[in-house]
């Protein structure tokens, strides 16, 4: 399911091994956990186990993670519950052999605990090194082992929380860096609206991030430059329109039309140039019509002049 790995996954694996050791077969006929869950399969009850033992093993074999033991320790405690030392001694007896066995068991437990503590210390040290190198995935991995072995270890617990928080910040910073890179591409293409959109997304993740603050300033400068450029261009257009108006007033319609076309080549939607071109074209057509009418009248007048 692409979910984060956890110790509950190891519990499931161990429970499958225990079942197969007892039954000689896989609890779900060698199906994967996902397939078994989709097919709603259930492990067959083993007669060799008591009700308590089967309940503990079933708890480890649960296909839904939330219904399974969280740790190996919990699984072991359910499968082999701790007994009262007095009852255990009474059951074993007071024989010297039993005392020796109990002593060896205590010694073994002591050595095992020492090994666990050494492992915890090793994992915490490794996690601290990873944290110092800003390798937070490594730090989280080691501290998870340490906290699973000793949930009450304050150093491991605090280090795990710090590493997880640092990992979140690192991921957040990576996202901001990607968004600012996209915004810079838009800025290079002079698409300020595009740049502003990516900046807004980055600000939502961290408005005080140095990259965000720096780009915000760069975008403000670019907008000011663009506004200045637009104002300067508008002044140039106004001058050309004024010149075209002079041509129009002087009935030099070709001059007016050419000046308007020069503006439209750079800004096809410029309203002033479109209006000027339309006015000059209309006046030109009207002037051409008048000339044609005059020519026709003069042609009609010529015979009259000939006949006097």
């Amino acid at each position: 399911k692409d979910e984060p790995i956890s110790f509950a996954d190891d519990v499931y694996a161990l429970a499958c091994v225990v079942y197969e050791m007892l039954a000689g077969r896989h609890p779900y006929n060698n199906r994967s956990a996902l397939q078994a869950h989709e097919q709603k399969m259930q492990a067959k009850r083993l007669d060799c186990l008591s009700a308590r033992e089967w309940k503990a093993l079933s708890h480890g074999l649960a296909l839904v993670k939330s219904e399974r033991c969280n740790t190996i320790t919990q699984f072991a405690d359910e499968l082999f519950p701790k007994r009262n030392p007095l009852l255990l001694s009474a059951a074993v007896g007071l024989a010297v052999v039993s005392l020796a066995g109990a002593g060896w068991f205590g010694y073994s437990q002591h050595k095992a605990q020492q090994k666990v503590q050494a492992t915890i210390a090793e994992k915490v040290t490794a996690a601290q090194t990873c944290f110092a190198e800003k390798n937070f995935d490594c730090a989280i991995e080691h501290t998870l082992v340490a906290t699973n072995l000793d949930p009450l270890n304050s150093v491991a617990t605090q280090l795990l929380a710090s590493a997880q928080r640092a990992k979140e910040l690192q991921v957040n910073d990576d996202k901001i860096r990607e968004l600012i890179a996209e915004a810079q591409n838009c800025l290079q293409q002079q698409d300020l609206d595009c740049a502003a959109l990516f900046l807004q997304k980055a600000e939502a993740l961290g408005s005080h991030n140095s990259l965000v603050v720096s780009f915000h300033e760069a975008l403000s400068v670019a907008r000011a430059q663009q506004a200045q450029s637009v104002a300067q261009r508008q002044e140039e257009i106004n001058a050309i329109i004024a010149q075209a108006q002079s041509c129009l007033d002087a009935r030099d319609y070709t001059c007016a039309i050419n000046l308007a076309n020069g503006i439209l080549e750079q800004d096809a939607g410029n309203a002033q140039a479109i209006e000027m071109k339309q006015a000059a074209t209309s006046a030109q057509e009207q002037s051409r019509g008048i000339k044609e009418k005059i020519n026709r009248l003069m042609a009609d007048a010529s015979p009259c002049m000939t006949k006097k």
Side-chain angles (χ1 to χ4, degrees), residues 135 150 211:
N135 187 349
D150 183 5
L211 291 176

Side-chain angles (χ1 to χ4, degrees), residues 44-51 53-54:
K44 185 177 180 180
R45 167 76 186 268
L46 299 181
D47 296 334
C48 60
L49 298 180
S50 66
E53 291 171 338
W54 173 244

Side-chain angles (χ1 to χ4, degrees), residues 244 247 252-262 276-277 280-281 284:
C247 293
D252 187 351
Y253 307 120
T254 302
C255 167
I257 292 173
N258 289 338
L259 290 172
N261 283 335
M276 175 57 66
K277 183 176 180 179
T281 302
Q284 187 180 50

Side-chain angles (χ1 to χ4, degrees), residues 220-241:
S220 298
V221 171
R223 280 174 170 166
Q225 291 175 344
Q226 187 183 63
Q228 183 180 1
S229 177
V230 169
Q232 183 178 355
R233 177 58 183 163
Q234 187 59 49
E235 290 180 2
E236 295 173 355
I237 290 174
N238 291 339
I240 296 173
I241 292 296

Side-chain angles (χ1 to χ4, degrees), residues 17 38 68 264:
V17 172
E38 291 174 347
R68 197 183 312 136
L264 293 174

Side-chain angles (χ1 to χ4, degrees), residues 8-244:
D9 301 323
D10 294 327
V11 170
Y12 175 80
L14 178 59
C16 287
V17 172
V18 172
Y19 187 99
E20 193 159 355
M21 289 172 64
L22 295 170
R25 64 180 183 277
H26 189 274
Y28 299 110
N29 297 329
N30 294 320
R31 299 288 195 280
S32 69
L34 185 59
Q35 291 173 331
H37 183 258
E38 291 174 347
Q39 297 174 16
K40 297 181 180 180
M41 298 179 67
Q42 292 184 348
K44 185 177 180 180
R45 167 76 186 268
L46 299 181
D47 296 334
C48 60
L49 298 180
S50 66
R52 177 191 58 73
E53 291 171 338
W54 173 244
K55 181 179 179 180
L57 183 56
S58 298
H59 196 192
L61 290 171
L63 296 172
V64 179
K65 184 177 291 189
S66 60
E67 299 175 358
R68 197 183 312 136
C69 302
N70 291 325
T71 66
I72 293 292
T73 302
Q74 181 184 351
F75 177 64
D77 289 342
E78 290 183 8
L79 197 59
F80 308 109
K82 297 178 180 178
R83 292 176 170 78
N84 188 305
L86 293 178
L87 295 178
L88 183 60
S89 298
V92 174
L94 299 177
V96 176
V97 175
S98 298
L99 292 175
W104 174 251
F105 176 77
Y107 175 75
S108 299
Q109 288 292 94
H110 174 69
K111 295 295 291 184
Q113 186 61 28
Q114 282 186 328
K115 185 176 181 180
V116 168
Q117 292 301 322
T119 301
I120 292 173
E122 177 186 346
K123 292 299 180 181
V124 169
T125 301
Q128 290 171 333
T129 301
C130 293
F131 191 92
E133 296 173 351
K134 296 185 178 181
N135 187 349
F136 303 120
D137 287 330
C138 168
I140 292 171
E141 179 181 350
H142 286 296
T143 50
L144 275 174
V145 175
T147 53
N148 184 66
L149 292 173
D150 183 5
L152 300 180
N153 189 297
S154 59
V155 175
T157 303
Q158 293 174 4
L159 185 56
L160 175 59
S162 298
Q164 289 173 332
R165 175 58 181 164
K167 174 63 177 178
E168 292 176 2
L169 293 175
Q170 188 180 59
V171 171
N172 196 63
D173 288 344
D174 290 342
K175 290 180 179 178
I176 290 176
R177 192 175 294 104
E178 291 176 0
L179 290 170
I180 293 299
E182 293 290 347
Q184 288 174 339
N185 289 335
C186 294
L187 188 59
Q188 290 175 356
Q189 299 172 10
Q190 299 299 314
D191 189 346
L192 303 190
D193 290 337
C194 166
L197 178 61
F198 281 107
L199 176 61
Q200 183 179 5
K201 293 180 179 180
E203 286 178 332
L205 295 175
S207 58
H208 299 294
N209 183 282
S210 59
L211 291 176
V212 173
V213 173
S214 177
F215 187 80
H216 191 283
E217 295 174 354
L219 183 59
S220 298
V221 171
R223 280 174 170 166
Q225 291 175 344
Q226 187 183 63
Q228 183 180 1
S229 177
V230 169
Q232 183 178 355
R233 177 58 183 163
Q234 187 59 49
E235 290 180 2
E236 295 173 355
I237 290 174
N238 291 339
I240 296 173
I241 292 296
Q243 184 179 354

